[in-house]
Amino acid sequence: MWTSGRMSNAKSWLGLGMSLYFWGLMDLTTTVLSGTPTPPCKLEALLSDKPQSHSRTKRSWVWNQFFVLEEYTGTDPLYVGKLHSDMDRGDGSIKYILSGEGAGIVFTIDDTTGDIHAIQRLDREERAQYTLRAQALDRRTGRPMEPESEFIIKIQDINDNEPKFLDGPYVATVPEMSPVGTSVIQVTATDADDPTYGNSARVVYSILQGQPYFSVDSKTGVIRTALMNMDREAKEYYEVIIQAKDMGGQLGGLAGTTTVNITLSDVNDNPPRFPQKHYQMSVLESAPVSSTVGRVFAKDLDEGINAEMKYTIVDGDGADAFDINTDPNFQVGIITVKKPLSFESKKSYTLKVEGANPHLEMRFLNLGPFQDTTTVHISVEDVDEPPIFEPGFYFVEVPEDVAIGTTIQIISAKDPDVTNNSIRYSIDRSSDPGRFFYVDITTGALMTARPLDREEFSWHNITVLAMEMNNPSQVGSVSVTIKVLDVNDNAPEFPRFYEAFVCENAKAGQLIQTVSAVDLDDPHSGQHFYYSLAPEAANNPNFTIRDNQDNTARILTRRSGFRQQEQSVFYLPILIADSGQPVLSSTGTLTIQVCGCDDDGHVLSCSPEAYMLPVSLSRGALIAILACIFVLLVLVLLILSMRRHRKQPYIIDDEENIHENIVRYDDEGGGEEDTEAFDIAAMWNPREAQGGGAPKTRQDMLPEIESLSRYVPQTCAVSSTVHSYVLAKLYEADMDLWAPPFDSLQTYMFEGDGSVAGSLSSLQSATSDSEQSFDFLTDWGPRFRKLAELYGASEGPAPLW
């Protein structure tokens, strides 16, 4: 039987008592090994009142564990306990062997005495127990004297580990203004010592830093607020130090600390306030819609959602002209233009702007109100704006037969500025590349400059420009849509060349062709054509026409029996008239060939050659005759050409042609009335002379253009009549590709009688030269410098022009 003893160290009386108890049992008991009978157990004799002769044999008490303190710091191996077998008689014949966890490394055994020692420092926190096996062998034979037995060595704890906060440092958040006792966070300290043995692992929490704002529960480690009305805006961050001490907090216990960083989260406890009660802003009247005018800001000490702001215009005369929006990034109110502004209409606006928190907390309403107002004054600044057309779009309908120079619309624009500058009109030529229209520069009268043709262009979209006289960069524009109305100016005609045939054996009243017509016009009531034979063919004995009343007509034979020998081709003129006002008509010709047909009316031959040529005349002979006729015609043309070249010397060569004007001065003064131009073409070209001595008018200008100035009223600088006349003549000149340029046409509309400059003649002056001052001639520019010198004008520096 195995027995064990244990000698404890000086610090453990329990181990010593157990060892003595174990050795006492071993001295009083016996064990039967290998099934051999043994004396009655002494332990039983001590514990039972039965006679020894009646005691039964049984196995003695079985030990199974040793206890040893951790962290032994002595120099000698630490004695753990003693193994002993009943078979050991103390003569050294028994050999003890130790195996299992830590055998030979952590624990050793004296193979003779069975004493077990720890040769390494033991740490319960690393390993709390070791399981080992012991065996007693016969030293001589090596035979086991006892069955192998297992036992446990438990490491007893000492307070060698301080509490540790494994999750620290901690970060926590608690709303500002929280009530006292509001839980913030729970901290937990862990002690590696044995919680089942003594107070080594019993931890108590305390606060070292963070009072009087926070407190900690000594048992649970829950941190709570300890001060009321903690304001984030006053102090936002707190560093709290918590201590955990073992041994129940008693003196001598070990302690550990951790840091808890506590942040006060924001609540909406601060109302917004405008730092400025009055804002002054300005904006250009040309500012586009949605452009920014300025910004206002209501300051809120809160942050995040609690500082969000909503700005609105609550009053003022600019609520309809301006709008305000909130910038979500900076919480400012952005004032923008809501509709176009006009300095001439209104020069200033006043707005009352409110800034309010949209997210409120009921428990802080007593700190309100959570909105504030400010006043914004906005001044509108004047800018030079381009002219504005009234209306902003023109639609004009004009018939296509309108005369050139006819005013079709008065385009009106005005300067929106206070200065009200003069306006000059023009047409954007990119919108009127054909130059069909002209606009008067001062009145804005839109006139036709070329004939209009609906069949060519039925719509015109032009852009009229208006420019300020004092600032040419300011240009306004307006679109003018012109619809050309149709008039009946196109006669109906055949859509193609009509050619029909008639059989020689045709009967009277037989249909030979159906014709139709087209008309470029587009009357409202639709086209309706009337067909009849032309007057010269009204009594045609061969053919007649029947109107189908559906814009078509039938051509019928009037007689029977046609012969190719008599006439192979008939040309029938047909008169086509439309239903317009006025009625227009045209004559189309239907070509009808006489053909030979079979009895079923099928054409066999329409060639009259067999009937036209004599029997003895071949085709080759006919070709020879035609060739001779062609040669004779060429000779005749050559002779006429040579005779024409003989007359060329009468004409002066172009290089020797010198045009001159003979100017006769009948009197002085009167501007263009002083001159009368003559054409000398008759002097250098004999063919231009006319019989009877009648004067020949100039060939490079129309007679009415020659004396244009005589028919223009001098009292009216520009009139619609003059515009119409000039535009008509300009169009005629543009269309006449053979007319030479009007180099010699001189028209002085603003000189002579009626001119604002007056007359330069001294004959009409009531004063003498000595009394007349001609200093003003120096202001007329370089062209009058010589005249100013002749009349003794005061000399001085010439003006820069």
Side-chain angles (χ1 to χ4, degrees):
M1 164 177 277
W2 283 103
T3 59
S4 65
R6 180 178 180 220
M7 296 301 295
S8 174
N9 57 29
K11 295 182 180 180
S12 178
W13 58 270
L14 179 61
L16 179 58
M18 291 180 65
S19 298
L20 294 176
Y21 177 71
F22 291 156
W23 283 110
L25 289 177
M26 293 179 187
D27 291 339
L28 296 176
T29 59
T30 59
T31 304
V32 179
L33 298 175
S34 301
T36 58
T38 59
C41 182
K42 297 181 181 180
L43 182 58
E44 280 191 351
L46 292 175
L47 299 177
S48 175
D49 55 354
K50 295 182 179 181
Q52 294 182 2
S53 59
H54 298 287
S55 64
R56 59 188 178 88
T57 303
K58 69 174 183 178
R59 195 172 180 84
S60 63
W61 181 81
V62 180
W63 56 272
N64 64 351
Q65 66 182 8
F66 292 97
F67 294 90
V68 61
L69 292 175
E70 65 171 337
E71 302 294 345
Y72 172 69
T73 58
T75 57
D76 296 332
L78 175 64
Y79 180 75
V80 178
K82 184 180 182 65
L83 296 179
H84 184 72
S85 174
D86 290 346
M87 303 297 295
D88 189 0
R89 303 302 178 185
D91 55 359
S93 61
I94 300 299
K95 181 179 180 180
Y96 297 98
I97 298 176
L98 187 65
S99 62
E101 298 175 346
I105 300 175
V106 180
F107 303 100
T108 60
I109 187 170
D110 190 322
D111 60 355
T112 301
T113 62
D115 293 334
I116 300 174
H117 292 82
I119 60 175
Q120 288 190 5
R121 184 177 180 181
L122 302 176
D123 188 355
R124 188 198 68 82
E125 287 70 40
E126 293 182 2
R127 189 158 190 164
Q129 65 181 22
Y130 295 86
T131 302
L132 296 99
R133 294 182 298 279
Q135 191 172 21
L137 303 176
D138 187 320
R139 189 180 295 273
R140 184 174 58 82
T141 62
R143 183 174 62 85
M145 303 300 293
E146 292 271 4
E148 188 179 56
S149 180
E150 185 178 88
F151 65 94
I152 297 174
I153 298 177
K154 286 191 173 183
I155 312 301
Q156 286 187 333
D157 183 57
I158 65 173
N159 189 21
D160 62 339
N161 290 280
E162 73 277 3
K164 294 182 179 180
F165 294 91
L166 302 181
D167 297 328
Y170 295 86
V171 176
T173 302
V174 63
E176 63 174 330
M177 299 295 179
S178 296
V180 175
T182 301
S183 177
V184 179
I185 193 174
Q186 183 178 15
V187 296
T188 301
T190 302
D191 197 319
D193 294 326
D194 189 359
T196 64
Y197 180 75
N199 294 328
S200 299
R202 190 163 71 89
V203 177
V204 175
Y205 299 94
S206 61
I207 184 168
L208 301 182
Q209 178 180 313
Q211 295 175 330
Y213 307 104
F214 300 95
S215 63
V216 63
D217 189 292
S218 60
K219 295 181 179 180
T220 62
V222 175
I223 300 176
R224 304 179 185 274
T225 57
L227 189 66
M228 51 187 311
N229 297 332
M230 286 192 293
D231 191 0
R232 184 198 66 84
E233 288 73 32
K235 185 176 182 180
E236 184 175 2
Y237 301 101
Y238 295 86
E239 185 178 73
V240 179
I241 298 178
I242 302 297
Q243 174 184 268
K245 191 174 184 181
D246 59 14
M247 298 300 291
Q250 297 178 4
L251 186 64
L254 302 178
T257 61
T258 187
T259 300
V260 182
N261 295 311
I262 301 176
T263 302
L264 296 183
S265 61
D266 186 63
V267 297
N268 193 9
D269 60 337
N270 291 278
R273 292 293 179 262
F274 283 101
Q276 293 180 237
K277 288 301 180 182
H278 296 278
Y279 287 85
Q280 186 67 41
M281 302 178 184
S282 61
V283 60
L284 297 176
E285 63 172 335
S286 60
V289 175
S290 300
S291 60
T292 299
V293 178
R295 291 172 171 80
V296 296
F297 176 62
K299 187 176 182 181
D300 193 330
L301 298 178
D302 298 320
E303 64 180 7
I305 191 174
N306 299 313
E308 288 186 4
M309 204 68 57
K310 181 180 181 181
Y311 295 92
T312 55
I313 299 176
V314 296
D315 198 3
D317 58 358
D320 59 338
F322 299 94
D323 200 358
I324 189 168
N325 299 290
T326 303
D327 184 345
N329 297 322
F330 302 98
Q331 300 302 321
V332 297
I334 303 176
I335 300 177
T336 57
V337 178
K338 188 176 182 180
K339 70 175 185 179
L341 305 175
S342 175
F343 172 82
E344 292 72 26
S345 300
K346 191 172 178 60
K347 297 179 176 58
S348 64
Y349 296 88
T350 300
L351 303 177
K352 186 176 183 181
V353 178
E354 178 186 82
N357 290 141
H359 306 287
L360 301 179
E361 294 191 31
M362 302 303 295
R363 60 193 179 108
F364 298 119
L365 290 181
N366 60 324
L367 302 177
F370 283 81
Q371 67 269 348
D372 196 16
T373 59
T374 187
T375 302
V376 181
H377 299 282
I378 302 177
S379 300
V380 180
E381 296 183 0
D382 186 29
V383 295
D384 191 4
E385 300 173 278
I388 299 176
F389 286 89
E390 295 181 356
F393 173 80
Y394 288 90
F395 175 76
V396 183
E397 292 182 336
V398 58
E400 61 178 324
D401 61 347
V402 65
I404 297 177
T406 302
T407 300
I408 61 175
Q409 181 69 45
I410 299 297
I411 308 299
S412 177
K414 68 175 184 178
D415 184 7
D417 299 316
V418 178
T419 54
N420 194 18
N421 294 320
S422 299
I423 305 297
R424 293 294 179 265
Y425 299 92
S426 63
I427 294 179
D428 184 357
R429 284 306 171 190
S430 62
S431 65
D432 184 27
R435 297 181 179 268
F436 286 93
F437 302 96
Y438 169 81
V439 65
D440 186 85
I441 190 172
T442 57
T443 63
L446 183 62
M447 295 171 282
T448 56
R450 293 183 57 188
L452 302 180
D453 188 359
R454 187 202 65 85
E455 288 70 39
E456 182 180 6
F457 298 105
S458 59
W459 292 87
H460 295 270
N461 293 293
I462 65 173
T463 301
V464 177
L465 307 177
M467 179 187 69
E468 289 186 12
M469 282 288 293
N470 296 339
N471 188 359
S473 64
Q474 297 297 328
V475 179
S477 63
V478 67
S479 296
V480 182
T481 299
I482 302 171
K483 180 180 180 181
V484 181
L485 302 178
D486 184 52
V487 297
N488 193 28
D489 59 345
N490 292 278
E493 58 186 12
F494 285 146
R496 59 184 177 86
F497 172 74
Y498 281 109
E499 185 177 16
F501 70 92
V502 60
C503 295
E504 290 181 313
N505 57 357
K507 305 297 182 180
Q510 183 176 335
L511 175 65
I512 63 172
Q513 182 69 46
T514 299
V515 296
S516 62
V518 295
D519 193 334
L520 296 178
D521 295 322
D522 186 19
H524 294 290
S525 58
Q527 295 284 7
H528 187 74
F529 303 129
Y530 302 94
Y531 301 88
S532 62
L533 294 178
E536 62 270 21
N539 298 320
N540 189 295
N542 302 311
F543 304 97
T544 184
I545 188 170
R546 298 286 177 85
D547 195 333
N548 295 329
Q549 300 299 319
D550 60 354
N551 291 337
T552 62
R554 295 173 296 165
I555 310 300
L556 306 174
T557 57
R558 177 169 286 184
R559 65 181 178 88
S560 61
F562 294 88
R563 295 180 59 84
Q564 290 186 2
Q565 296 87 343
E566 296 178 358
Q567 186 172 351
S568 62
V569 179
F570 292 91
Y571 298 99
L572 185 64
I574 299 175
L575 181 65
I576 312 169
D578 59 18
S579 58
Q581 293 295 330
V583 176
L584 297 180
S585 62
S586 67
T587 301
T589 301
L590 174 63
T591 302
I592 305 173
Q593 291 188 2
V594 180
C595 302
C597 304
D598 57 15
D599 296 338
D600 296 329
H602 298 140
V603 177
L604 297 178
S605 174
C606 294
S607 174
E609 178 181 356
Y611 302 97
M612 296 295 295
L613 296 177
V615 176
S616 61
L617 188 61
S618 64
R619 187 185 300 272
L622 180 62
I623 294 175
I625 294 173
L626 294 176
C628 292
I629 296 174
F630 177 76
V631 171
L632 291 175
L633 291 175
V634 172
L635 292 175
V636 171
L637 293 175
L638 182 61
I639 293 172
L640 294 176
S641 177
M642 294 177 62
R643 295 181 63 183
R644 182 177 181 181
H645 279 289
R646 291 171 183 167
K647 298 180 180 181
Q648 289 297 327
Y650 291 102
I651 302 176
I652 301 175
D653 188 31
D654 290 342
E655 296 181 356
E656 300 175 357
N657 184 8
I658 301 176
H659 283 76
E660 293 183 355
N661 286 335
I662 300 177
V663 181
R664 183 180 70 230
Y665 291 90
D666 291 337
D667 54 5
E668 295 185 15
E672 70 274 37
E673 298 176 357
D674 293 346
T675 64
E676 185 173 329
F678 291 88
D679 184 13
I680 63 172
M683 300 176 66
W684 56 266
N685 191 349
R687 291 193 302 158
E688 296 296 330
Q690 294 183 351
K696 173 66 175 178
T697 59
R698 293 181 59 174
Q699 299 300 315
D700 61 346
M701 66 173 66
L702 296 179
E704 55 267 26
I705 296 180
E706 179 180 3
S707 57
L708 176 63
S709 61
R710 301 179 183 270
Y711 301 100
V712 177
Q714 295 295 326
T715 57
C716 179
V718 180
S719 67
S720 61
T721 304
V722 174
H723 277 305
S724 302
Y725 185 80
V726 172
L727 290 174
K729 296 308 173 184
L730 177 63
Y731 174 74
E732 292 178 6
D734 290 341
M735 293 297 102
D736 189 357
L737 302 179
W738 303 102
F742 299 156
D743 294 336
S744 60
L745 175 62
Q746 305 292 331
T747 301
Y748 301 94
M749 296 180 61
F750 305 109
E751 292 191 56
D753 293 341
S755 173
V756 294
S759 176
L760 299 181
S761 174
S762 61
L763 298 178
Q764 299 179 2
S765 176
T767 58
S768 63
D769 292 343
S770 60
E771 299 175 351
Q772 182 73 27
S773 174
F774 296 95
D775 292 343
F776 61 92
L777 294 176
T778 59
D779 299 330
W780 286 11
R783 296 182 180 181
F784 296 88
R785 183 180 304 167
K786 188 65 176 178
L787 187 62
E789 295 176 356
L790 293 176
Y791 278 82
S794 59
E795 298 182 357
L800 297 178
W801 293 77

